[in-house]
Amino acid sequence: MRLIHPASSDDVDLSQVYAYPDRPCVRVNMVASADGGTWLKGLSGGLSGGGDRQIFGVLRGLADVIVAGAATVRTEGYGPARPRKSWHPLREGRTAVPPVAVITRRLDLDLTSPLFTEAEPYARTIIITCGAAPPERRREAAGYAEVIVAGGERVDMALAVKELGDRGLSRVLCEGGSKINGQLAAADLIGDLCLTVSPILIGGDASRILNGPAALTQLRLVHVLEDEGFLFTRYTRES
């Protein structure tokens, strides 16, 4: 893997080039084909490669919390984050792994899956839902996860991020899907975008990285890395 912008270098410290800013930040990490599609045969993994998986691990190690929508959790078969030796220097002074937080309005989750039953006690899975969620299902979920109610009829993303920050989880890594990303953009919450561009054309009806109402966020390109034809970009929002 090599850095090709803003300078050229074959010596890249991923933990440095992807370090969070010294303030609370919502970071979105996505992979897309060269024509902008975010899944292949229904899964993002078909667009990925070795370098992308390496960066994916570093981003998780740097984060305080990993956020994903319920559809992404179900489709991608999410489990809890697992401790990695390489994360030790990244997580000094913090828990060995970040918790996963699931955004869901209807609480249509398999509460007996490893995401809930195998999470470490210090990184218990978080469910972020809203007041409109079925009360009985909400009480049941509280037996398997920490439940945060953020919003009335639907999840209020600004309130959800605030609730995470109040728990000391201010470095947020959102892994999608595109509807969750769209809601974050509509709420003007995205501070950092890490986008992998896969050297493949897929056509079809795959979603873009944002699926939601029109939202304008001005970004500044921080860096571009390259590995085996994949481009790894990082953008931060303009001040």
Side-chain angles (χ1 to χ4, degrees), residues 11-18:
D11 183 19
V12 180
D13 183 339
L14 294 179
S15 65
Q16 290 297 318
V17 297
Y18 285 104

Side-chain angles (χ1 to χ4, degrees), residues 9-199:
S9 174
D10 293 327
D11 183 19
V12 180
D13 183 339
L14 294 179
S15 65
Q16 290 297 318
V17 297
Y18 285 104
Y20 273 84
D22 190 21
R23 63 179 186 278
C25 178
V26 175
R27 167 177 284 171
V28 169
N29 179 43
M30 294 291 287
V31 59
S33 64
D35 57 326
T38 58
W39 66 69
L40 183 61
K41 297 180 180 179
L43 298 172
S44 63
L47 301 173
S48 189
D52 185 51
R53 288 187 287 272
Q54 183 182 3
I55 291 172
F56 177 85
V58 171
L59 295 183
R60 282 187 154 207
L62 291 168
D64 291 333
V65 60
I66 300 162
V67 172
T72 296
V73 165
R74 289 192 299 269
T75 303
E76 302 282 351
Y78 265 54
R82 308 290 187 182
R84 302 187 185 191
K85 185 177 181 180
S86 62
W87 284 1
H88 291 175
L90 304 183
R91 304 196 60 79
E92 186 176 359
R94 296 184 292 165
T95 58
V97 299
V100 175
V102 186
I103 307 287
T104 172
R105 182 176 183 271
R106 297 189 300 270
L107 290 170
D108 46 349
L109 299 165
D110 180 2
L111 297 173
T112 65
S113 71
L115 178 60
F116 300 100
T117 61
E118 297 181 9
E120 298 289 348
Y122 58 77
R124 196 179 187 213
T125 298
I126 300 167
I127 292 175
I128 303 176
T129 189
C130 60
E136 290 184 7
R137 186 63 172 164
R138 207 162 72 203
R139 286 192 291 271
E140 182 184 6
Y144 294 86
E146 179 180 356
V147 177
I148 295 174
V149 177
E153 288 301 312
R154 62 189 62 215
V155 175
D156 180 326
M157 288 299 186
L159 183 54
V161 170
K162 179 183 182 301
E163 289 284 349
L164 291 174
D166 289 346
R167 290 162 171 79
L169 308 174
S170 61
R171 285 172 282 193
V172 177
L173 174 65
C174 181
E175 296 178 348
S178 58
K179 289 185 178 180
I180 297 298
N181 296 342
Q183 291 171 36
L184 288 170
D188 198 28
L189 293 169
I190 298 176
D192 216 52
L193 170 65
C194 299
L195 175 63
T196 295
V197 180
S198 176

